[in-house]
Amino acid sequence: MSLPDSPTVVLVHGAFADASTFARIIPGLTARGLDVVAPAVPNRSLLGDSAYIASVVRQIPGPVVLVGHSYGGAVITIAGVENNVRALVYLAGYALEEGESLGELQGGFPDSDLSGALVYTPFPVEGSTTPGTDVSVRTDAFPAIFAADVDPHLASVLAVSQRPLAAQAFGEKAPVAAWKTKPSWGLVAAADHTINPEVERFGYQRAGMTFVEVDSSHLVMLAHPERVIELIEEAVRATSA
């Protein structure tokens, strides 16, 4: 049963993925009476992606709980300063500090298995003669690195339907850090081979947020949907009027 003044839950996917990675948690959230929006993140630049998600948030009447998975955590760190954002939830995500880039945060810790499985591909940039660079994961390495405890058939589909992340996004610095002013929750995927779990823990601890640990691969929403739903529901209840 939904609470009075329940927020809309906005689910922000990460790199090498799309909003379908939330398929196992959306029914559980809607069954609890929550409105859910799961937009497609362009994955072109951190600042541009954050501006796009902020524009989605601004068009939602009433309060919002922003949920970011992986790179989506960096996106909600910036977009979360919108006035109607009530809380942030990070799922195996990057909680950047103001003035910090993804590359800088990751650079302080040993590389995960992901670093050796990345593929770099040029793509045309409208209005420029200089191509951009898309970053994706080798399809043969994707299941083990990203989705070790997800159904193998689904993992193989996800491997060939990736939404790449433009390399530009790794170097852009967060101009703000919404967790400084918004209540925040986090989930560490303790068996993560995509992001070093220490990167997740460090960001959450630095932000002073409430966080839990789940023995999961990077795609915790597909591997342990009920635990993710519980954490989102905790944030909703704690910040609802």
Side-chain angles (χ1 to χ4, degrees), residues 46-134:
L46 177 59
L47 299 181
D49 295 341
S50 302
Y52 174 72
I53 293 301
S55 76
V56 172
V57 167
R58 283 195 298 273
Q59 295 176 65
I60 295 173
V64 165
V65 168
L66 265 181
V67 181
H69 173 248
S70 189
Y71 167 69
V75 173
I76 71 170
T77 296
I78 302 171
V81 298
E82 289 298 312
N83 289 335
N84 59 329
V85 173
R86 180 177 283 169
L88 309 172
V89 180
Y90 292 81
L91 306 175
Y94 294 103
L96 296 179
E97 173 61 278
E98 185 175 331
E100 183 178 55
S101 70
L102 288 166
E104 289 169 338
L105 176 56
Q106 287 196 143
F109 299 86
D111 286 340
S112 70
D113 293 342
L114 176 67
S115 62
L118 295 175
V119 178
Y120 301 91
T121 309
F123 68 89
V125 177
E126 186 177 359
S128 175
T129 58
T130 303
T133 301
D134 260 341

Side-chain angles (χ1 to χ4, degrees), residues 209-223:
M209 70 176 74
T210 300
F211 69 94
V212 298
E213 302 218 6
V214 179
D215 186 17
S216 176
S217 70
H218 191 58
L219 288 180
V220 63
M221 313 87 70
L222 290 171

